[in-house]
Amino acid sequence: DLLGRHYEFLRQLETVLRRRRNISVSSLPADPTEQRKLAIGMEFKDRETWQEQCERARADIHGIYDKYFRSTS
């Protein structure tokens, strides 16, 4: 399912970030070179494809959250 696939993607991203920095992280690097390294670590062909997947996962997860949890009052 969509949420499950995005969860797996984000867990993989977190794992790669932790391996690279050896610390707990909660944000993506702004530097394109560092983003490229993450993309390669996650087996994407390039940074742009990886970035598109990040944006898609974020948008879909926000949409699911809004549908089920956002207050309508």
Side-chain angles (χ1 to χ4, degrees):
D1 70 354
L2 183 66
L3 190 58
R5 285 194 318 267
H6 289 324
Y7 175 80
E8 290 297 322
F9 170 80
L10 294 173
R11 293 295 298 172
Q12 181 184 11
L13 175 57
E14 180 184 26
T15 299
V16 172
L17 279 168
R18 284 185 178 190
R19 278 192 306 225
R20 292 195 46 75
R21 296 186 181 171
N22 199 26
I23 57 171
S24 180
V25 292
S26 60
S27 61
L28 297 175
D31 178 34
T33 301
E34 290 299 314
Q35 291 177 358
R36 182 178 172 279
K37 291 175 185 176
L38 285 175
I40 291 169
M42 293 180 70
E43 300 180 357
F44 280 81
K45 66 178 184 173
D46 55 40
R47 185 185 72 84
E48 292 76 15
T49 304
W50 170 83
Q51 190 171 27
E52 288 170 8
Q53 177 60 30
C54 286
E55 291 169 6
R56 185 176 321 117
R58 183 177 296 155
D60 288 346
I61 290 168
H62 280 276
I64 292 167
Y65 176 85
D66 288 345
K67 180 177 178 181
Y68 293 103
F69 301 108
R70 183 161 300 262
S71 173
T72 57
S73 53

